[in-house]
Every structure is written in C-alpha cells, then in structure tokens.
Amino acid sequence: MKRYLDCNATCPPVQQALEASARAAVEAVGNPSSLHWAGRAARRIIDDARDTLAAYVGCESGSVVFTSGGTEANNIAIHSVLSGVESGRVICTAIEHPAVLQPLQRASEHGFEIVSVRPDAHGVVSAEAMIDAITDDTRMVCMMLVNNESGAIQPVQQVADYCRDRGVPILVDAVQGLGKLSLDFKSVNVDFMSLSAHKIGGPKGVGALLVKRGVKLQELSPGGGQERKRRSGTENVPGIAGFSAALGQIDFSQFAPVRDAFEQQLADKIPEVSIVSKDATRTANTSLFMLPGMDGETLLMQLDLAGFAVASGSACSSGKREASHVLLAMGLNDTAARSSVRVSFGPGNSMDDAEALVNALVTVRQRLRAMAGIR
Ligand SMILES: Cc1ncc(COP(=O)(O)O)c(C=O)c1O
C-alpha cells in the first residue's frame, strides 16, 4: 500500500484545481496578451484568479504578480531590491529555504554582506536578534513565515513593523504559511511576500509575489512586459486558474490530531526519538524528528520500500548529501542533523497512516540496528 506523507514538499492536487486548470487549458486557447476574443477570454481567467487570490490573502489585486512559483517570487524580490543599490547588508534567518539562501549567496559574491541570524533550540529566530542585526547600511531583510522542515512559525510581524519604521525593505517567504495560517498582506505590511500553489493542492510551477503598493519592481527576466511590466513571459493560464481554485480547499488544521497521535505513538514506541520544534508554535501538519544513531536518508529509503513517501532533512545536491542546514543552525551536530525525518500530513491521511508509519519505523529501525550488530 502506498502512503503519501510529504505534503510540505508538494501537496497532491485538489479536484477543484485540476478541473479549473483543465477548463482553462481547453477553453482559454488565446494568448492573454492578444486583443481578440480568445485573448480576452484567457485574460479574464487571470483577472478573476488575481481577484480571488487578492481577496484570500488580504491585498489589492494590483499587488499580485503571478510567477512560476515560490523560488521565482523570492528571486524577483531579492533581485529587485539589490539591483538598485551599490552594496551593504542583507539580513536573513539561517533557516531560510534555498530559494532565498541561494540568491543571497549570489549577492554575497557581488559584494553584499549577508548576515544570517540563527534560531534558538526550538527552531525559532528571535525578532530581537533580527532587529539587532539591522544597521544603517542594511538594504533588505528576508524572513520566512513558516519553516518548511520543522513547521516552526517565525515572529515576522515584529520584524516587519521595525523594518517599516526604518524604511528597510522586507521579503517574507510565506510559501509554507499559505493555507496553514491566515494571511493578511495589508496588515502584515511588508514589501514582498512569496507564495506557491503546489503547497496547497494547486498546480506545480505557479505562484505569486505580492508587492506592496508603491514598491517598484525591477524585472528579473525582461521581455514582453506582462504582469504590468513586473514579470515578463506569457502567463501560465491553466496554472493560475488552478492556483486560485485551490485556495482554501484544504484545512490543514484538521491534521493536528493525526500529527499529534503520530508523535505520541512514536515517542511511546521509540523513547529516544526527539521531536524538533515540539515546544514552538508549529503548523498543524508537520512533524520533524530525529532518531539517534540512524541515518535519515537510509530511513527514508527503507520507508520508501515499504510504500511510505516521507522526507529526510538532509539535502542532496550534486550527489553530495548535506545535513539539514536548519538543524545545524539550531546547534545540532552533523550526525544528529543527518538523523532527521520529516513527515508532513495532508489530504487523504488518517490515523491509520500515522499508526502504520510508526510501526514501519519501529520495524525498519530494528532491522537497521540488527544489521549494525546492535541489539
Ligand atoms: C519555504 C519555501 N520557500 C520556497 C519554496 C519554493 O517554492 P517553489 O517550489 O514553488 O519554487 C519552498 C518549496 O519547498 C518552500 O518550502
């Protein structure tokens, strides 16, 4: 039996999104930039989706720039701010997604000083520490709303308030917050917020950057001037239609009892398990845990053979496995950081999945220990 428990990586598409995408693909044959009836039909789909998204996240429709996803949204915001200034500081949390860390790494190669602020042992970055790092030459602040590995919610509002008072642009990567926390772009009052459709049951390859009114956006890839000259390229009409149809379709809070039961049963059966960010405020569907003496990647592969799709905290890039930068930033050593597994619940998951996964983890752990000669 196959069980999918990796919804922070991507959430299975909801029916409403699939239908809206299919309808748009079939019915809106024109290019939304074309002036004829077929173009206008496609344009109407985008306009409606823009209004729906804006209403859902509490912003004006004019603030929505559709992108190819969260990665592009983050890149556009960072590029836009930093391409307009000579050099200086950029403050970020040490637990940002690579979609923020990598563009900042590139900025550092162009002379920007990147200051990354570490979280506490619970995986939460203090607002005070972020604020303390802001100096007169700070060009930008980047702070995620929810960490994708641990689910820990970050104190964005306090930092946003300070940035606004100081006139420092701030980007909030809200990709893991959309659909899990109630978002109100206007009241958070940040310059930029990035979103992605596929984390909430929408199509892959579509997202949005919300841009505060009055903030000018410097295009990352100049071209035909779509999205009011903020993001060129023919819009992904089926993707955008699916994105807007997915909004609000999944109530992620419903997975809290399943997640909590999973963690309780796991702790009962494997007492040495350590649940990451257990004492932080977390999104309801996420469980990141470490099994001392185990390798997360090996566990993941064994679980895969048993039909479970979960994630390990370590990242595999160019064939080299790296320990989770989130856990390292929390002060854990390399071995501990490699022993992590992330389970993220979503549509279709039940108590039965939680129980089955615990039992599978017990079996796999016993097998691996026996192979290593540990009783
Ligand atoms: C926090 C966060 N930011 C950005 C991204 C990238 O989003 P996308 O896959 O839409 O490019 C992800 C995806 O895992 C994420 O979790």
Side-chain angles (χ1 to χ4, degrees):
M1 181 178 183
K2 300 254 188 272
R3 300 182 197 250
Y4 186 80
L5 299 147
D6 197 12
C7 287
N8 284 12
T10 196
C11 195
V14 294
Q15 193 60 29
Q16 292 87 343
L18 291 172
E19 284 171 12
S21 290
R23 226 176 11 252
V26 172
E27 290 172 11
V29 293
N31 185 319
S33 296
S34 297
L35 297 178
H36 47 61
W37 59 267
R40 289 200 304 278
R43 165 69 43 210
R44 212 169 302 124
I45 288 174
I46 297 176
D47 289 346
D48 289 348
R50 196 187 308 282
D51 292 345
T52 305
L53 177 59
Y56 187 78
V57 296
C59 70
E60 292 158 3
S61 298
S63 286
V64 177
V65 178
F66 285 115
T67 65
S68 64
T71 301
E72 190 192 8
N74 285 330
N75 271 273
I76 292 175
I78 292 168
H79 165 82
S80 182
V81 174
L82 300 188
S83 64
V85 290
E86 280 286 289
S87 59
R89 244 182 195 213
V90 179
I91 319 292
C92 66
T93 78
I95 58 170
E96 292 299 313
H97 189 272
V100 166
L101 293 177
Q102 288 304 316
L104 292 185
Q105 164 65 27
R106 198 169 276 187
S108 80
E109 288 155 19
H110 289 92
F112 287 91
E113 181 199 2
I114 311 300
V115 176
S116 65
V117 179
R118 287 171 57 167
D120 61 16
H122 306 295
V124 178
V125 178
S126 101
E128 290 77 16
M130 289 294 284
I131 288 168
D132 282 351
I134 297 173
T135 48
D136 285 345
D137 69 341
T138 296
R139 307 296 179 216
M140 182 174 201
V141 170
C142 302
M143 188 171 194
M144 66 183 356
L145 179 59
V146 174
N147 183 260
N148 46 298
E149 291 186 27
S150 67
I153 299 168
Q154 307 300 316
V156 158
Q157 189 64 65
Q158 215 180 316
V159 179
D161 292 344
Y162 184 84
C163 286
R164 189 183 57 248
D165 293 346
R166 292 279 301 253
V168 177
I170 175 167
L171 161 69
V172 171
D173 177 340
V175 165
Q176 294 287 347
L178 182 68
K180 296 170 185 154
L181 306 176
S182 84
L183 293 184
D184 189 51
F185 183 67
K186 260 199 188 150
S187 72
V188 180
N189 205 350
V190 292
D191 298 77
F192 307 102
M193 187 177 274
S194 39
L195 308 172
S196 179
H198 71 106
K199 308 291 185 183
I200 59 158
K204 296 168 183 68
V206 60
L209 179 65
L210 308 182
V211 185
K212 187 172 164 174
R213 189 189 196 138
V215 171
K216 254 194 83 58
L217 210 56
Q218 177 72 36
E219 272 199 286
L220 185 59
S221 310
Q226 287 88 343
E227 294 294 281
R228 288 177 35 205
K229 297 199 171 62
R230 296 181 291 183
R231 195 270 186 183
S232 284
T234 302
E235 298 89 337
N236 174 0
V237 183
I240 290 169
F243 185 8
S244 96
L247 293 165
Q249 296 297 340
I250 302 170
D251 170 14
F252 282 91
S253 68
Q254 71 182 293
F255 306 117
V258 178
R259 190 270 311 270
D260 294 347
F262 166 74
E263 291 184 347
Q264 188 59 56
Q265 289 174 30
L266 188 61
D268 289 346
K269 294 207 172 154
I270 310 179
E272 66 266 39
V273 71
S274 165
I275 311 283
V276 179
S277 297
K278 193 166 174 48
D279 296 325
T281 312
R282 287 180 293 165
T283 43
N285 75 321
T286 307
S287 182
L288 178 66
F289 57 91
M290 295 180 291
L291 284 182
M294 297 280 127
D295 175 61
E297 204 71 15
T298 309
L299 285 170
L300 181 146
M301 287 188 288
Q302 292 291 320
L303 290 169
D304 178 31
L305 289 172
F308 295 90
V310 298
S312 80
S314 64
C316 182
S317 57
S318 35
K320 191 171 101 223
R321 280 205 298 116
E322 286 165 7
S324 152
H325 71 285
V326 174
L327 294 173
L328 292 177
M330 286 169 66
L332 290 150
N333 66 30
D334 200 76
T335 311
R338 284 176 192 277
S339 72
S340 65
V341 173
R342 180 189 69 190
V343 180
S344 42
F345 296 95
N349 292 147
S350 63
M351 289 290 184
D352 181 58
D353 295 313
E355 196 182 328
L357 179 58
V358 170
N359 291 336
L361 275 162
V362 169
T363 307
V364 165
R365 178 171 168 274
Q366 270 165 0
R367 190 185 313 137
L368 292 173
R369 281 167 67 96
M371 281 162 66
I374 306 167
R375 289 186 56 226

